[in-house]
Amino acid sequence: GAGVSQSPSNKVTEKGKDVELRCDPISGHTALYWYRQSLGQGLEFLIYFQGNSAPDKSGLPSDRFSAERTGGSVSTLTIQRTQQEDSAVYLCASTSPRGGPSYEQYFGPGTRLTVT
Amino acid sequence: AQSVSQHNHHVILSEAASLELGCNYSYGGTVNLFWYVQYPGQHLQLLLKYFSGDPLVKGIKGFEAEFIKSKFSFNLRKPSVQWSDTAEYFCAVTPRGNYGQNFVFGPGTRLSVLP
């Protein structure tokens, strides 16, 4: 498709379980971002990828959170041993290639994670 | 590191009223500035952006924003709001030339337009 896609759109999980969230960026976009948006809160930066490497992991809230990107395309955000405070909408965004004319971020629809 | 503040958490207006949403950033160098909008149930989308040149930029749906370098501000304006403008608005900043790193978003302003 033409836009950023994320799956699943909704995920309900029990406390303590692991979850995987997936992001498919726009084809050709080399930069990819993960954010978390809690109810009534702004966007909390989690991690940034340039290609397959993550030069900035400063936003990951704990070692239960990890992310990877393979082939410079799809990215997976994994949350281990989920806690109720992990409940949020997880957003993925990608930007046009390095050196391109625009650093506009294109956002996906998000994954709504509910930890019960 | 840069930061972004948005003056209002929630703004309530009647249709046809004028809108101004404040955005201030802190960063010592040159920046690219953005306003994003999130309509209810929809994903974030770009409203407008400033990279260089004319500090008054126009975006979609009649929105505009003015970059005032001396005030580190990038306020969003619309002369006459419509009910369909009800949404959450986010200001964002990134250092120029950083090749996509360090996007920082403000906390957002929720706009409610009463019919």
Side-chain angles (χ1 to χ4, degrees):
Chain A
V4 178
S5 61
Q6 293 185 245
S7 61
S9 55
N10 278 285
K11 176 72 177 178
V12 180
T13 190
E14 292 180 354
K15 177 181 172 181
K17 301 282 189 182
D18 298 351
V19 294
E20 278 191 358
L21 312 180
R22 176 187 168 107
C23 172
D24 272 285
I26 292 173
S27 177
H29 279 195
T30 55
L32 185 149
Y33 301 76
W34 282 99
Y35 296 90
R36 178 166 69 175
Q37 187 177 28
S38 303
L39 187 64
Q41 304 294 313
L43 275 72
E44 176 188 4
F45 167 79
L46 298 178
I47 188 169
Y48 154 73
F49 285 93
Q50 181 62 255
N52 290 337
S53 64
D56 190 350
K57 303 180 183 179
S58 62
L60 294 177
S62 75
D63 59 7
R64 296 187 295 105
F65 287 71
S66 63
E68 64 176 17
R69 191 178 184 196
T70 54
S73 181
V74 172
S75 176
T76 303
L77 177 70
T78 301
I79 309 173
Q80 295 178 309
R81 305 181 302 281
T82 51
Q83 304 294 314
Q84 287 184 331
E85 61 262 28
D86 299 334
S87 296
V89 176
Y90 289 82
L91 295 170
C92 176
S94 66
T95 61
S96 55
R98 182 176 180 139
S102 164
Y103 303 125
E104 172 187 350
Q105 294 200 346
Y106 295 84
F107 282 85
T111 293
R112 181 175 298 279
L113 174 66
T114 304
V115 182
T116 60
Chain B
Q2 66 270 30
S3 65
V4 179
S5 62
Q6 292 183 238
H7 307 161
N8 310 99
H9 178 66
H10 188 192
V11 173
I12 303 173
L13 295 173
S14 298
E15 276 195 314
S18 64
L19 169 72
E20 181 159 2
L21 301 182
C23 171
N24 284 88
Y25 69 93
S26 65
Y27 182 70
T30 52
V31 294
N32 296 329
L33 296 154
F34 306 81
W35 275 98
Y36 283 84
V37 60
Q38 188 172 29
Y39 296 104
Q42 297 187 27
H43 56 90
L44 277 156
Q45 57 188 282
L46 183 70
L47 201 54
L48 49 78
K49 61 189 177 187
Y50 171 79
F51 285 172
S52 63
D54 189 345
L56 183 63
V57 293
K58 296 189 183 299
I60 60 172
K61 304 186 180 185
F63 284 91
E64 64 179 32
E66 184 175 13
F67 170 50
I68 302 180
K69 187 175 180 180
S70 61
K71 295 185 178 180
F72 298 89
S73 70
F74 190 55
N75 292 356
L76 180 72
R77 301 195 293 249
K78 186 171 183 179
S80 176
V81 295
Q82 300 173 311
W83 177 79
S84 58
D85 294 324
T86 294
E88 187 129 23
Y89 293 80
F90 295 91
C91 182
V93 62
T94 186
R96 191 169 303 165
N98 72 340
Y99 302 114
Q101 294 177 275
N102 299 330
F103 261 91
V104 176
F105 284 80
T109 296
R110 184 155 64 99
L111 173 65
S112 299
V113 180
L114 307 177

